[in-house]
Amino acid sequence: MSLEDFIKSCDRWAGGDGPKNNSIISSRARYARNLEHIPFAPRARTEQLRAVLERIDEAISKSPYFENFKRLTVSDINSLQRCYLKESHLISSELEQGGEHRVLYISPDYRISIMINEEDHLRMQCIDVGFQVPKVLAILDEVEAELGRLLNFAKHERFGYLTACPTNTGNGLRISVMLHMPGLVLINKIEEITKSIAQYGLTVRGIYGENSEHTGDFFQISNEVTLGQSGSQTRETLESVAEQLLEREIKARNALFEQKPLIVRDLVARALAILKNASIIDSTEAMTHLSKIRLGIDRGWFEKELMHSDLSRLMVLVQPAHLQCEDGNSIPPERRDNRRAEILQNHLRDISLN
Amino acid sequence: MSETAKCMKCEKPATTKITKVTDYDKVMEILLCDEHAQEYRPYLRKVQPGNLVDLLQQLFKQEKVAKAITGGKTPGGPTCSNCGLTFSEYRKTLILGCSDCYSNFEKLLLPDLRRMHGATSHDPLYKIPVEKYPLADEQHQAMLPEEHAVSDNIDTLKQRLQEAILEENFDIAAKLRDEVKTLAEDSESQSAD
């Protein structure tokens, strides 16, 4: 498989249905770990970064667990491909910037990715569709245990696992759940919710994590606190809050339909009409309309023609790098919005409201 | 006694009381003024410190504490013996240099960790080892040989006072504050003779 083809297949973990995927799109867990004494990536000199990479490469090569993982050198991947990997949620915005001595390992099923020399020496993550926090955490724990067996992770008797940024020290664990909440956005409850989840030590971010916006009504909920809590405590808190948010989103969607059925019908119909007929559409507008379609799927207005997983897939396909990778080349911005409209028309040609 | 309670970290009047359970049976009541309460828990924050003056004041205070602990000898505060990062460099980016920085700066990191996580150790029941902090516990104090039990030097006492505040051992901090006061008054009356 060529590099090009491999990268294009990196969003395959997102195919298919996951539990509660009418609102919970994906679940992800990651650990941050570092080697002892060698400066953390932001402060390390080039030869030190190289040394870190060599040690980790050597450890991974010795382990049968990682035998079939694919190794990618970040500087060998062009910016469009890096953007694609970020859109597929396998790398962070930080790694998308590129950089020397940065390497990525990806599992054959595309669920596990290991980043070397991001902000920390090691960032390992596991992701899956729908609401599957225990599963991704269990797989991630296996990865962490195996890597920990081969390397000496920097640890302090008081502070636990040590990380470049003290915000990650302790268990170095970030669990996040990606929620799609068009209902709560429509009834203007988002701000209230954002404020109330802070008391659980959780935070809300946009679709690509730190520094991204809430485009398309996507909200990533993750834990902020990593010190003084065990991984299971973090998991329990996050799962419970995610369930509550899911419940509130479903209630919001139902309430909207019960109280204003015509308005909901109209919203969905207009969204579909624009998506099917526009010749030019930018990603923000496309996401905004696609988000409304979710409400229609819930009500069964598309029968089996359009499922929740189909919609989630479409919302990824309209992202800039996904758009361009279909053709295999960079498309100039003016042409991109036209291409996006074409793709939407192709996918929605036979879809209509029942 | 009709005196209003004072903040445990400074002399201002206390406006917030935080009850903290440290061991299975040990309950601590921490009295803090508005400013120190905001530092303590971001959730209690009423006003975001977007104000440049506030930020500078915080930085300045952190450096004062760093100076008190090192006796003000090194500019920039303590330095990591492994990677050379100075504490004031860390404060600018909030990113540490290497794993050794955590041991080198240990006590100075506590306020940041408390603000970020509401905790200063990964195990809530973590006990500070005796060697690191001889006055941590009255029991420890009783076990130590005479010469370690009390320090006569006012600078050492001031240093220990800052450490006690960082660790939030307020009973010890109160005792140390009294000792510092007594010694300061003694030396004043001596020089007056």
Side-chain angles (χ1 to χ4, degrees):
Chain A
M1 206 194 254
S2 70
L3 175 66
E4 183 73 40
D5 288 336
F6 178 78
I7 291 181
K8 271 166 87 167
S9 59
C10 279
D11 58 358
R12 283 199 195 149
W13 64 265
D17 285 308
K20 313 212 166 127
N21 72 338
N22 54 340
S23 180
I24 300 184
I25 308 304
S26 60
S27 312
R28 186 171 68 99
R30 75 98 170 107
Y31 278 125
R33 294 286 187 265
N34 287 280
L35 303 181
E36 288 177 313
H37 308 308
I38 308 184
F40 298 138
R43 191 169 174 82
R45 295 189 303 270
T46 308
E47 61 270 19
Q48 290 169 322
L49 291 174
R50 200 186 310 130
V52 168
L53 179 55
E54 274 171 22
R55 287 219 3 228
I56 300 178
D57 270 337
E58 200 202 321
I60 289 181
S61 65
K62 284 191 190 147
S63 165
Y65 190 91
F66 301 112
E67 209 178 306
N68 295 315
F69 277 52
K70 177 96 175 167
R71 182 186 187 281
L72 299 170
T73 305
V74 171
S75 50
D76 288 346
I77 308 175
N78 68 42
S79 67
L80 188 64
Q81 291 167 329
R82 279 182 263 129
C83 188
Y84 189 98
L85 288 171
K86 182 204 71 180
E87 286 172 4
S88 308
H89 300 286
L90 287 184
I91 65 170
S92 59
S93 305
E94 169 60 35
L95 210 76
E96 190 197 351
Q97 307 302 313
E100 292 303 309
H101 307 295
R102 287 181 150 177
V103 158
L104 183 62
Y105 277 92
I106 299 177
S107 65
D109 65 358
Y110 310 102
R111 283 185 171 79
I112 305 171
S113 60
I114 302 173
M115 293 185 270
I116 303 175
N117 287 328
E118 206 243 30
E119 185 183 82
D120 294 294
H121 296 151
L122 265 170
R123 288 267 174 114
M124 54 193 98
Q125 81 165 35
C126 181
I127 191 167
D128 209 343
V129 277
F131 196 28
Q132 300 201 68
V133 173
K135 179 184 170 194
V136 298
L137 197 49
I139 296 174
L140 187 68
D141 278 337
E142 278 178 17
V143 175
E144 197 270 349
E146 183 64 6
L147 284 170
R149 183 178 70 80
L150 299 156
L151 299 159
N152 273 329
F153 292 147
K155 202 175 177 188
H156 192 279
E157 58 166 357
R158 179 174 193 169
F159 301 126
Y161 289 104
L162 302 178
T163 54
C165 201
T167 50
N168 288 314
T169 202
N171 53 33
L173 175 64
R174 177 140 298 149
I175 311 183
S176 40
V177 152
M178 180 77 74
L179 288 153
H180 190 219
M181 305 201 285
L184 287 169
V185 170
L186 279 168
I187 65 172
N188 285 320
K189 286 286 178 188
I190 292 297
E191 212 180 303
E192 177 194 307
I193 285 171
T194 310
K195 288 195 182 131
S196 72
I197 71 166
Q199 66 188 290
Y200 298 105
L202 301 179
T203 187
V204 184
R205 295 183 172 134
I207 186 172
Y208 295 126
E210 262 175 324
N211 306 319
S212 59
E213 294 154 10
H214 305 306
T215 329
D217 307 328
F218 282 110
F219 298 90
Q220 208 185 112
I221 312 291
S222 48
N223 62 299
E224 277 228 287
V225 171
T226 54
L227 187 66
Q229 262 190 19
S230 69
S232 354
Q233 281 174 303
T234 306
R235 175 177 64 77
E236 277 167 29
T237 309
L238 191 107
E239 278 190 300
S240 132
V241 171
E243 300 233 26
Q244 285 178 48
L245 287 173
L246 171 68
E247 231 182 87
R248 293 191 63 171
E249 169 65 15
I250 303 303
K251 277 200 182 127
R253 293 182 195 175
N254 290 337
L256 271 168
F257 184 68
E258 274 151 37
Q259 290 164 32
K260 311 261 181 198
L262 272 179
I263 291 186
V264 177
R265 181 87 185 177
D266 185 59
L267 266 172
V268 175
R270 280 170 189 259
L272 186 63
I274 291 179
L275 292 168
K276 283 174 79 165
N277 293 290
S279 338
I280 310 171
I281 188 166
D282 67 29
S283 62
T284 308
E285 198 192 342
M287 294 287 271
T288 306
H289 295 309
L290 283 167
S291 185
K292 306 290 182 289
I293 305 287
R294 181 81 66 194
L295 302 173
I297 302 176
D298 257 355
R299 304 255 70 88
W301 290 339
F302 301 103
E303 290 183 357
K304 294 280 191 242
E305 290 166 7
L306 193 69
M307 313 275 274
H308 283 297
S309 53
D310 297 323
L311 182 69
S312 302
R313 174 98 190 116
L314 257 183
M315 291 182 96
V316 174
L317 285 180
V318 300
Q319 299 302 308
H322 271 75
L323 200 70
Q324 295 173 77
C325 278
E326 255 202 55
D327 277 348
N329 295 313
S330 258
I331 313 178
E334 330 73 74
R335 173 81 181 101
R336 252 179 251 169
D337 290 350
N338 174 230
R339 182 77 193 111
R340 183 176 289 111
E342 280 172 11
I343 290 175
L344 283 165
Q345 279 176 29
N346 288 337
H347 279 86
L348 297 171
R349 191 186 313 280
D350 301 320
I351 308 293
S352 52
L353 276 175
N354 294 320
Chain B
M1 268 227 308
S2 51
E3 225 179 79
T4 34
K6 290 218 185 99
C7 172
M8 283 167 153
K9 289 194 171 183
C10 66
E11 297 299 316
K12 290 193 218 153
T15 57
T16 313
K17 178 160 74 175
I18 298 171
T19 308
K20 192 168 154 183
V21 179
T22 47
D23 295 341
Y24 284 119
D25 56 358
K26 191 173 176 195
V27 177
M28 255 167 64
E29 281 185 346
I30 306 174
L31 297 160
L32 299 169
C33 66
D34 269 338
E35 197 192 322
H36 284 117
Q38 277 179 23
E39 267 177 22
Y40 195 88
R41 278 277 195 286
Y43 328 131
L44 296 177
R45 195 166 290 177
K46 289 167 206 157
V47 174
Q48 289 295 327
N51 191 320
L52 184 61
V53 176
D54 282 342
L55 276 169
L56 286 172
Q57 280 181 350
Q58 266 194 13
L59 256 172
F60 182 62
K61 237 183 281 157
Q62 209 87 15
E63 285 186 25
K64 268 175 81 174
V65 171
K67 268 206 185 127
I69 289 199
T70 56
K73 285 170 202 139
T74 14
T79 306
C80 175
S81 52
N82 182 50
C83 69
L85 184 75
T86 65
F87 187 71
S88 48
E89 273 181 283
Y90 151 71
R91 282 248 93 231
K92 286 178 198 149
T93 58
L94 289 182
I95 294 182
L96 289 164
C98 70
S99 54
D100 295 65
C101 291
Y102 281 85
S103 309
N104 279 265
F105 299 149
E106 186 173 339
K107 295 200 168 35
L108 297 174
L109 294 173
L110 302 184
D112 284 340
L113 290 172
R114 205 169 276 124
R115 187 175 28 122
M116 292 163 182
H117 305 281
T120 54
S121 52
H122 88 99
D123 176 358
L125 300 179
Y126 175 83
K127 282 196 109 57
I128 307 154
V130 185
E131 316 77 57
K132 274 196 182 165
Y133 190 24
L135 295 180
D137 205 301
E138 283 186 322
Q139 282 183 334
H140 288 159
Q141 205 173 343
M143 289 189 310
L144 290 168
E146 268 303 308
E147 57 264 28
H148 292 293
V150 164
S151 175
D152 286 324
N153 186 310
I154 197 171
D155 287 321
T156 320
L157 279 178
K158 278 186 179 167
Q159 201 170 308
R160 293 227 162 106
L161 171 60
Q162 290 298 346
E163 287 183 1
I165 293 175
L166 283 171
E167 293 280 2
E168 293 197 339
N169 281 309
F170 294 116
D171 351 350
I172 307 290
K175 287 192 185 140
L176 287 165
R177 188 179 290 175
D178 292 341
E179 279 188 51
V180 166
K181 245 192 192 165
T182 317
L183 274 181
E185 282 164 7
D186 281 350
S187 67
E188 262 182 46
S189 55
Q190 273 179 15
S191 50
D193 291 342

